[in-house]
Amino acid sequence: MTDARFTGLTRDSWAGVADQLLLSLRGWASPEHARIDLPGQQSAYGPDSDSLEAFARSFLLAAIRLKGDDGKDPHDFAGWYAEGLRAGTDPASPHAWPRPDQLGQAKVEACSIALGLHLSRPWLWDRLDDRDRSQIVAWLSTVVGEKYPPINWVWFQVVVETFLKSVGGPWSRDDIDSGLAVHESLYRSNGWYADGPERAFDHYNGWALHVYPLLWASMDPGLCDPALETAWRERLTSFLDSAVHLVGSNGSPLIQGRSLTYRFAAAAPFWVGAITGATDLTPGLLRRTSSGMLKHFLDHGVPDERGLLTLGWYGEWPAIAQSYSGPGSPYWAVKGMLGLMLPADHPVWTAAEEPLPVERSDFNRSIAEAGWQVSGTQFDGIVRIVNHGTDHAVPGDERADSPLYARLGYSTHTMPPLSPPYWAQPLENSVSIVHPSLGLSHRNGFTVAGAGSSIASTHWVRTSDDEGPEHGSGRGGPVTPGPTVAVASALHGSHEVRVARIAADAVVEPGWLIEFSGWPLTADIPPVAEGAEVRADNLVSVVGPWLGFDTFDVRRTDESGALGNHTAIPYARAAAVPGELFIATITLAGNTPEPP
């Protein structure tokens, strides 16, 4: 191995982490290994689903290890997981898994099992007896003809049925063609997909919508139209050029969107670029990016002292999870270890690590598909975006703002607070109309007005009436309409210049205010604040005066974020006057930067 001057991580380092993750699960497994019952908050689907999740996702990592080391197996991963596969697919076993036609989440986990069987085929599947193979095929084949939501889930059916085809099991060309058609419908441009019909731009672009297509194309080349594979390769190349600019010098990916508890799964598309050659990024940059993500979490105590990946970001913090996530969910982080499929002499492991874009120079970019302006600053290593295109909704949607999607800003060094008050009101990185009794208004369902601008029909939502599952979108409830507000942003360096104007003909009641809120800083000790400036852990967040505001303050909250116990957010307020301009600077920096 050669120079890993940024991270110090070699392929052996990665393999050691992977093996630790797998071996640490064994103490939580049933005698026949089919169930892995981890401690922690259960998902909405219950313990049977959660234990299957832990098995299936960790099995994928075991298969990656077998594939990359050409079957070398000192820990008997093949034998251990073969026992679990045997018991889990045996209807007579007390540890039998729920089938994909019985439980929606099993449709997801069937994909990890099928892909794992494909990758480890010479060392596991080929050594099973006919009875075991028949049981596994019978369990997997319940996906055939099933309906899947028109999002990244279609790949779970496509991959399973392709594996079934390869072993003489049942499969449906119609299912595969239907899934491929859905996937194509999700594509926007420049390598970016939306995960469904909504403006859902997030890490699923990388760890699902770019990973599965090219891995699937190699499973059965006869099923994949060569022109389509070429298109997918070109899209991944384009996407990675954007994605590498969304990684901070601390190794953190952009902290935005749902399923954040998958953590370093964000490295998955970079590894697929290395595996397939579908990238213009150099091997040294691919290595630096992926190893930087893993090191970021290793440096923050991940996995924990038990060797487990918990529901959280660093330590255990279940509020980060959606209702579909249980204790086994974080093990989809193993997608970020796909690089272990590559042998030790592959260029991505032998090339010297190269600096990330944010470590080379300041930059400003636009990701038009997601409506993001991106700024990276070399002096502090922060990458930040201003968001005028993503809300996990469609225009006109009147749900509340999702803190994971609809905020005006996200970064590699801050996390949106995710405790219940922040789902009920947009308390950070927002422009809101403040009602004396209804609180802060939402902008979800806004109209994109152009680069860096949007127009919102503001509204207040009584989210306490929404008892549905939380899948990342904003919460619903009775709606009270508010005035139309146009917002525009110019982002450069550490600063956003934010401008808002309430429609001149809007009806605004006496006592209504307009609020600009800034970046949330979270730490283990209360951040220091003065006026509308907050400092914590070598970061500074400021809402600076410019035009229209007369009140500057900080709101504080405890136990609302996964980065620490105490959060502080600067904000500015003024009387809401139709037709007037309100302007402020919104700053996030590693120390006091130059004025904009």
Side-chain angles (χ1 to χ4, degrees):
M1 303 294 177
T2 54
D3 185 10
R5 64 188 180 97
F6 290 95
T7 70
L9 297 183
T10 65
R11 188 181 186 280
D12 287 343
S13 307
W14 277 81
V17 174
D19 291 352
Q20 178 195 13
L21 288 173
L22 291 170
L23 294 172
S24 296
L25 292 173
R26 291 186 175 182
W28 305 92
S30 61
E32 294 175 308
H33 310 163
R35 291 185 69 100
I36 302 178
D37 292 300
L38 296 174
Q41 178 177 289
Q42 290 184 2
S43 75
Y45 305 119
D48 290 346
S49 174
D50 296 345
S51 68
L52 169 60
E53 221 175 18
F55 178 94
R57 299 181 181 199
S58 63
F59 171 55
L60 179 58
L61 178 56
I64 290 168
R65 292 289 289 122
L66 290 167
K67 175 74 171 177
D69 281 12
D70 196 28
K72 182 181 178 182
D73 191 12
H75 302 296
D76 191 28
F77 293 137
W80 198 92
Y81 279 95
E83 286 192 46
L85 288 160
R86 185 178 298 115
T89 58
D90 180 359
S93 168
H95 300 130
W97 300 323
R99 301 191 314 264
D101 62 340
Q102 297 171 325
L103 175 71
Q105 190 63 33
K107 294 178 178 177
V108 181
E109 307 319 316
C111 178
S112 290
I113 289 171
L115 185 56
L117 288 169
H118 168 73
L119 294 176
S120 64
R121 186 165 180 165
W123 311 285
L124 199 160
W125 177 265
D126 289 349
R127 298 179 182 180
L128 295 174
D129 62 31
D130 289 343
R131 179 178 179 274
D132 294 339
R133 292 176 188 166
S134 295
Q135 278 184 189
I136 295 169
V137 166
W139 189 85
L140 289 173
S141 65
T142 62
V143 309
V144 179
E146 284 287 301
K147 299 299 182 184
Y148 284 65
I151 56 174
N152 71 87
W153 275 46
V154 297
W155 281 106
F156 306 146
Q157 186 174 42
V158 169
V159 169
V160 171
E161 294 195 25
T162 301
F163 174 74
L164 287 169
K165 175 179 180 291
S166 75
V167 297
W171 67 288
S172 165
R173 181 78 216 204
D174 287 345
D175 285 351
I176 290 176
D177 288 345
S178 174
L180 296 179
V182 168
H183 178 78
E184 289 306 291
S185 76
L186 304 179
Y187 185 64
R188 299 300 178 256
S189 61
N190 295 315
W192 281 80
Y193 292 85
D195 193 20
E198 297 178 321
R199 296 180 291 204
F201 299 98
D202 53 33
H203 287 295
Y204 278 89
N205 262 278
W207 62 46
L209 295 168
H210 280 293
V211 164
Y212 288 118
L214 288 177
L215 292 182
W216 170 77
S218 69
M219 291 178 70
D220 186 337
L223 281 178
C224 185
D225 180 346
L228 195 55
E229 182 178 1
T230 297
W232 291 340
R233 293 175 62 85
E234 292 171 350
R235 293 174 192 175
L236 177 58
T237 298
S238 181
F239 172 75
L240 291 178
D241 182 62
S242 292
V244 75
H245 287 84
L246 298 176
V247 181
S249 65
N250 62 353
S252 176
L254 186 72
I255 306 174
Q256 177 271 343
R258 62 194 175 106
S259 300
L260 289 173
T261 196
Y262 302 162
R263 298 179 174 99
F264 49 87
F270 295 96
W271 287 127
V272 173
I275 291 165
T276 64
T279 180
D280 290 334
L281 304 183
T282 62
L285 182 53
L286 291 168
R287 180 181 178 185
R288 163 69 181 110
T289 306
S290 301
S291 288
M293 291 186 199
L294 179 61
K295 186 176 189 297
H296 178 74
F297 291 101
L298 294 177
D299 287 349
H300 287 87
V302 179
D304 72 5
E305 68 280 358
R306 300 165 298 182
L308 301 181
L309 299 177
T310 58
L311 286 170
W313 185 248
Y314 300 144
E316 190 164 10
W317 202 74
I320 199 174
Q322 283 65 63
S323 60
Y324 53 76
S325 292
S329 290
Y331 284 83
W332 245 357
V334 309
K335 292 183 179 181
M337 308 191 99
L338 284 166
L340 287 169
M341 289 170 54
L342 297 170
D345 60 357
H346 189 279
V348 80
W349 290 121
T350 60
E353 290 181 344
E354 299 174 11
L356 293 163
V358 75
E359 293 170 319
R360 295 174 180 170
S361 64
D362 292 357
F363 63 79
N364 287 275
R365 291 174 66 95
S366 174
I367 300 177
E369 295 70 31
W372 294 348
Q373 298 176 62
V374 186
S375 170
T377 41
Q378 183 182 16
F379 83 96
D380 53 17
I382 298 174
V383 175
R384 57 192 73 65
I385 69 166
V386 168
N387 168 37
H388 284 277
T390 297
D391 56 359
H392 212 279
V394 295
D397 191 314
E398 291 189 323
R399 286 173 293 178
D401 293 354
S402 167
L404 295 167
Y405 289 94
R407 299 300 194 244
L408 282 168
Y410 297 93
S411 84
T412 54
H413 285 60
T414 63
M415 178 178 284
L418 297 171
S419 59
Y422 290 82
W423 289 90
Q425 296 189 80
L427 295 166
E428 100 287 349
N429 251 328
S430 299
V431 171
S432 295
I433 304 299
V434 188
H435 189 285
S437 59
L438 299 176
L440 279 71
S441 67
H442 300 270
R443 71 171 189 140
N444 192 67
F446 58 78
T447 299
V448 177
S453 59
S454 55
I455 299 173
S457 298
T458 65
H459 50 282
W460 293 274
V461 185
R462 194 171 70 200
T463 59
S464 58
D465 286 16
D466 185 349
E467 297 180 356
E470 194 275 286
H471 286 180
S473 298
R475 309 296 286 168
V479 173
T480 301
T484 299
V485 178
V487 180
S489 301
L491 178 63
H492 189 83
S494 304
H495 308 285
E496 172 201 354
V497 177
R498 186 181 298 172
V499 184
R501 180 178 183 269
I502 304 170
D505 58 354
V507 175
V508 174
E509 300 293 334
W512 290 12
L513 305 173
I514 186 169
E515 175 182 294
F516 282 17
S517 52
W519 293 94
L521 296 190
T522 301
D524 289 331
I525 60 174
V528 175
E530 181 179 355
E533 178 176 307
V534 176
R535 291 181 177 272
D537 290 347
N538 299 313
L539 295 174
V540 60
S541 170
V542 186
V543 176
W546 199 328
L547 181 67
F549 293 100
D550 52 28
T551 300
F552 298 87
D553 206 345
V554 171
R555 65 170 50 96
R556 294 181 180 270
T557 183
D558 294 335
E559 298 181 355
S560 63
L563 301 185
N565 293 324
H566 306 281
T567 298
I569 302 157
Y571 67 89
R573 285 182 171 181
V577 180
E580 289 196 5
L581 283 177
F582 298 89
I583 307 176
T585 55
I586 313 297
T587 300
L588 172 66
N591 54 45
T592 304
E594 292 296 316

